[in-house]
Amino acid sequence: MAKTTDALTRRDVLLGAGAVTAALGTVTLGASTAEAAVEKWDHEADIVIVGSGVGGCTAAVTAHEQGDSVVVLEKAPFVGGTSKKSAGVLWIPNNYTLRAKGIDDKKEECLQYLARYSYPERYVAGQPNLGLAALEYALLEVFYDNASKAVDRLRELGALRTAEWRMFALDRSATDYLDHVPENKVPTGRALGPVSAEGQMGLGVELMTQLGDAVEKRKIPVLLQHEAARLVVNAAGRVVGIEATSADKKVTIRARKGVIFASGGFAHNREYADTYLRHRYYGSCAMPSATGDFVRIAGAIGARLGNMTGTWGTQIVLEDALRNHVLPTGVFFPPGDSMLQVNRHGRRVVNEKRNYNDRTEAHGYFDPSDAEYPNELMFMVYDQRTAEGFAGAYPLPPTPTGAKYVLQADTLDALADKLAARLKDIATRTGNFSLSPAFLANLKTSIARFNGFARAGRDDDFSRGAAGYDREWQMVFSPMNAASKYAAEKAPNSTMFPLSDTGPYYAVMLAAGSLDSCGGPVIDASARVLDGSDKPIAGLFGAGNCIASPSRFAYYGAGHTLGQSLTFGYIAANAAHAEPSSKA
Amino acid sequence: MAKTTDALTRRDVLLGAGAVTAALGTVTLGASTAEAAVEKWDHEADIVIVGSGVGGCTAAVTAHEQGDSVVVLEKAPFVGGTSKKSAGVLWIPNNYTLRAKGIDDKKEECLQYLARYSYPERYVAGQPNLGLAALEYALLEVFYDNASKAVDRLRELGALRTAEWRMFALDRSATDYLDHVPENKVPTGRALGPVSAEGQMGLGVELMTQLGDAVEKRKIPVLLQHEAARLVVNAAGRVVGIEATSADKKVTIRARKGVIFASGGFAHNREYADTYLRHRYYGSCAMPSATGDFVRIAGAIGARLGNMTGTWGTQIVLEDALRNHVLPTGVFFPPGDSMLQVNRHGRRVVNEKRNYNDRTEAHGYFDPSDAEYPNELMFMVYDQRTAEGFAGAYPLPPTPTGAKYVLQADTLDALADKLAARLKDIATRTGNFSLSPAFLANLKTSIARFNGFARAGRDDDFSRGAAGYDREWQMVFSPMNAASKYAAEKAPNSTMFPLSDTGPYYAVMLAAGSLDSCGGPVIDASARVLDGSDKPIAGLFGAGNCIASPSRFAYYGAGHTLGQSLTFGYIAANAAHAEPSSKA
């Protein structure tokens, strides 16, 4: 096969390169393109950014202000990504509001919290890197070192107005998602939020409107409906640009210093979910464009993948997810006090008030004796007190039966029958998930046991209400309606109240869902994407849900994903700025 | 950067191809080599097989007998791979011994068992493909269709002597690993084993000696200590050979029809384990050469990966694993009846007699309330009855304290102290895994509750002993020593006996381990490796632990991994035979 002629045309070379590219995965797989094969560049910038969520916009503004020219690609027809759908909170350790209050969120102590939460099975205080691998530790350290700086820089540039994010109903500092471990020395106050010009705390729309405006004001081109297709690589293996697809046309963008991916995860890529996640996620709040493009695109040039089993979890309403895998919201905090969740055996399996990310893991439990996932669906069961007293706190409708996904019955027996019937209706969508024969009897036992815990104020099985998180976030997400006739009746543990001995009773079917995945190409402490030998791939950077999360599976507090994305977007822009230009 | 001259030398072309290859992952990442860049082939065959375990040897013999020339590469200095370390059992549905007994292991029924076990959350009887994706179902179907044929072919060729594998102590047909679900209509008798010329049932050594002899007798070259490095791909994207490394030298082998990988998984690749597996595995019984080479090598040419979170699990003795990640054996069946396992809280969490693959999943449980893995280590606690009566059944030593990993104490209080002290000694290796303050009290409660179950004959918590598997495999792995003074005392459930009220008591620390991983490139029903668009990569085939297991995580019965590997090795050889020659 080897060609024997010594005289070849340029076309032969290009075909040769193309053939090798094809052999290495074919164009449809997102293999890279050789720089020599690019006939013309449609756009050119020092730094090209993929994704216009909080990570991408932070990187864009940061880069621009350092004198780098920037182009942003966005797959969707508008700016903001999943960040725009979010609550807009930013988890930033050692932030300026803490400092202003004289609270010293010390690096050494904060890193213990981060390491303990992210690597519980390897964290050892006093050991080198706290027991973590060098890269794992370095990523936590650089997050701590840059998070606060990044926000301060955006504020200084007038790109973002923030304030301490106060837990609304309480008007208290936000409590971290693992506040009750001894390693957390500053368990409240690390959350910031975006405020309007009038000083009003906003959500993701506010956050991304401000950051989007900052990008626009700087005249940074944002190419909407441009989907990243593959990287352009020069003969030395450096990333020098990117090919995108827009309206079925190929668009090439040269990146003289580097390409920063700050795009979505793979929550809506069914194949990746089957491959990388251990159990079933029925839906995700991520934007529909979160199809894991970066896994494919960076994988094609040898990026090392990490953390691939990870998602930012949340429980979701099953029946909504069956209608549409893309969900507007999740069950971030199951409302109510006279409420519990049980599995197909009618048994409680989790602290219902734990944070969404950790709580959702309970759905993945595999029962070795029956070789099945008995918690795949869970049933949130509650009484009239919760239905009325906490009405309107999602997923409770404003009136007790104001949503089709709410089942109501006069007795527990009748409720179990209704659940069984509803499950039968959707059996082909759930692998015939059904109530076990012991469901009803166990449900009654579970309620009796729960009621005992509620009266005693202590949950001996799952520690519900023991952590500050459980109690305080309940007041944020589902305070008792003040006008309710039930408000006067209190129990010693605010998160638990005995279920009534008489109906009506209610049930909502819940499943595992996600905000997005959190696995992908692995970055180093400069946000450079690493290859399989842990060497940086020159010219390629990453931040946000598209990369292997620097915090692994841990969700440190409200605003975790946005804070991490913003910080690594900032780090990436700084690192790309320092790169020499690749332009010949 | 694009070259502007039209006159280039052949060297330029090769450098160009090399540069693109480098850009696409660099040589150290195992990117492929363009056929045009191969200056000479050191070896040549119709079919090249990587790995000499049961899958590789079956493929080699099958291919040879069809007239294909074959070369086998083996990374280790000897033939046999992990198969050689195994028990040598082959799980083969509808096998000739069943047929001889008039047992009809019907396809439609058997597929229900396979689908139910492999995809519990999607299996629905009566639905198209039983609720599975088309490819998932096709892989189960082709396994059923070929398993028995493959063994019959090897027997007919004189390559392998087999017989029904009888559970030794019992001399009964082997019970499947999920015998008690209604979908399993032939719950015993699907296991075969290798028999010597004298008719003696053997282990993995017997199996691989016979198959290795069959390869040798056919003068099929086996290149030992040849490590596959990267595939050679022609301009059309077809795999046409492979580059290996031997004694630091590059060796090229042309494969005119195809390359079949039947190599190991990634059990001993720490980076892959961190990336793809959700929780921590402390060791593996796989050969040390199981470092996931196929994931890298096939990934570099765009293979789709699947099932990446999967392992063939087994519990292992922690302290052995801390000495060496490569283990001689696992705790396949925890011995004893007056024995239970508890986690760091002193609580039982699993049916101790469940099959190793499913039981091991219990170690991965994440506790959302404390954000930790409380079952990461489990403690097998037992009394003098078990220590003596089941002595010698691994991990019980021949005498009660005949192994350093056995802790002994006169009382449970003292045993807990010893456990705590031992855990402290190894704290830096386990992320400071320690007993919770409630351990001792809960241990006592757990034993009392277990003793109640043992007296009643029914385990209301974890159904220990309810399935035939639990009872019958106990008789295989750990029958009560007949001479023991305890043999006369029986309880209604043979798997449970109340622990004595008096000491001494014993404990062994267990962790999650594996036989190997079971994720990798995805194959189709012809064992062809698929790319990211689900198109076969021409010339590339896979079987065994190196691919995405066609059974997903499920371990159907004794000999599951070997039976599956043998079957897909056979399928791969047949499919490769049908390929046209790629030789110019």
Side-chain angles (χ1 to χ4, degrees), chain A residues 76-99:
Chain A
F78 50 83
V79 164
T82 297
S83 306
K84 195 165 187 168
K85 299 184 59 181
S86 75
V89 189
L90 301 163
W91 195 86
I92 304 291
N94 186 34
N95 68 56
Y96 71 97
T97 68
L98 286 169
R99 294 194 302 266

Side-chain angles (χ1 to χ4, degrees), chain B residues 84-97:
Chain B
K84 194 164 186 170
K85 297 184 60 183
S86 76
V89 188
L90 300 163
W91 194 85
I92 305 291
N94 186 33
N95 68 57
Y96 70 98
T97 68

Side-chain angles (χ1 to χ4, degrees), chain A residues 87-88 162-166 168 191-196 199-203 206:
Chain A
T162 60
E164 189 197 348
W165 192 86
R166 310 278 296 174
F168 0 107
L192 303 175
V195 288
S196 68
Q200 182 77 31
M201 181 64 67
L203 300 170
E206 180 64 38

Side-chain angles (χ1 to χ4, degrees), chain A residues 1-13 16-17 19-26 28-29 31-32 34-38 116-117 120-124 127 136 178 180-181 233-238 254 271 274-282 299-311 347 349-351 354-355 358-362 365-366 368-373 376 427-432 460-464 522 531-535 552-553 582 584, chain B residues 1-13 16-17 19-26 28-29 31-32 34-38 116-117 120-124 127 136 178 180-181 233-237 254 271 274-282 299-311 347 349-351 354-355 358-362 365-366 368-373 376 427-432 460-464 470 522 531-535 552-553 582 584:
Chain A
M1 266 305 292
K3 296 208 179 218
T4 50
T5 171
D6 278 346
L8 298 167
T9 65
R10 174 165 175 265
R11 187 168 164 276
D12 286 320
V13 177
V20 173
T21 303
L24 289 161
T26 82
T28 55
L29 284 180
S32 68
E35 184 180 21
V38 177
R116 156 64 181 88
Y117 204 173
E121 80 286 34
R122 283 191 275 128
Y123 168 75
V124 186
Q127 285 295 302
E136 293 164 348
L178 190 66
H180 62 296
V181 291
V233 177
N234 74 9
R238 175 168 172 180
R254 183 202 288 272
E271 178 189 310
D274 283 351
T275 296
Y276 297 117
L277 307 180
R278 183 79 191 188
H279 64 95
R280 188 166 174 186
Y281 289 80
Y282 276 85
I301 64 161
R304 172 152 87 85
L305 300 179
N307 214 44
M308 294 300 287
T309 63
T311 63
R347 294 206 177 103
V349 298
V350 71
N351 170 356
R354 198 83 284 265
N355 72 71
D358 291 334
R359 176 176 14 109
T360 302
E361 282 303 298
Y365 170 73
F366 176 79
S369 283
D370 289 325
E372 65 173 21
Y373 299 90
E376 183 183 335
T428 60
R429 314 278 307 274
T430 66
N432 206 14
D460 286 338
D461 288 341
F462 300 104
S463 308
R464 172 163 154 178
V522 173
D531 71 14
S533 312
D534 280 344
K535 287 196 294 273
R552 202 189 190 193
F553 314 131
S582 66
Chain B
M1 266 303 294
K3 297 208 181 218
T4 51
T5 171
D6 277 346
L8 297 166
T9 64
R10 173 164 176 267
R11 188 168 163 277
D12 286 322
V13 177
V20 173
T21 302
L24 288 160
T26 82
T28 55
L29 285 180
S32 69
E35 183 180 21
V38 176
R116 156 66 181 87
Y117 204 173
E121 81 286 33
R122 285 192 272 128
Y123 168 75
V124 185
Q127 285 295 302
E136 293 165 348
L178 190 66
H180 62 296
V181 291
V233 178
N234 73 11
R254 183 201 288 273
E271 178 189 309
D274 283 351
T275 296
Y276 297 116
L277 308 179
R278 183 81 191 185
H279 63 94
R280 188 166 174 186
Y281 288 80
Y282 276 84
I301 64 163
R304 171 153 87 85
L305 301 179
N307 214 43
M308 293 302 286
T309 64
T311 63
R347 294 206 179 102
V349 298
V350 70
N351 170 357
R354 197 84 285 263
N355 73 69
D358 291 335
R359 176 178 13 110
T360 302
E361 282 303 298
Y365 170 72
F366 176 80
S369 283
D370 289 324
E372 64 172 24
Y373 299 90
E376 181 183 335
T428 60
R429 314 280 307 275
T430 66
N432 206 14
D460 285 338
D461 289 339
F462 300 103
S463 308
R464 172 163 154 177
D470 302 3
V522 173
D531 71 16
S533 312
D534 281 344
K535 288 196 293 274
R552 204 189 190 192
F553 314 130
S582 66

Side-chain angles (χ1 to χ4, degrees), chain A residues 262-391:
Chain A
S263 50
F266 58 82
H268 295 300
N269 183 319
R270 180 64 60 93
E271 178 189 310
Y272 284 3
D274 283 351
T275 296
Y276 297 117
L277 307 180
R278 183 79 191 188
H279 64 95
R280 188 166 174 186
Y281 289 80
Y282 276 85
S284 176
C285 306
M287 290 287 287
S289 48
T291 52
D293 302 352
F294 193 41
V295 170
R296 174 178 56 77
I297 291 171
I301 64 161
R304 172 152 87 85
L305 300 179
N307 214 44
M308 294 300 287
T309 63
T311 63
W312 306 124
T314 178
Q315 291 188 298
I316 56 176
V317 172
L318 172 72
E319 288 165 285
D320 283 350
L322 291 179
R323 267 196 301 280
N324 193 341
H325 197 265
V326 182
L327 290 163
T329 190
V331 181
F332 296 125
F333 201 92
D337 48 15
S338 53
M339 174 280 296
L340 75 173
Q341 292 183 18
V342 295
N343 70 1
R344 74 174 292 253
H345 299 297
R347 294 206 177 103
R348 279 184 81 210
V349 298
V350 71
N351 170 356
E352 296 87 347
K353 301 294 182 176
R354 198 83 284 265
N355 72 71
Y356 38 93
N357 185 51
D358 291 334
R359 176 176 14 109
T360 302
E361 282 303 298
H363 283 278
Y365 170 73
F366 176 79
D367 171 6
S369 283
D370 289 325
E372 65 173 21
Y373 299 90
N375 312 346
E376 183 183 335
L377 302 184
M378 289 205 263
F379 310 106
M380 188 172 95
V381 174
Y382 51 97
D383 64 5
Q384 193 67 16
R385 170 189 168 91
T386 283
E388 286 184 24
F390 299 86

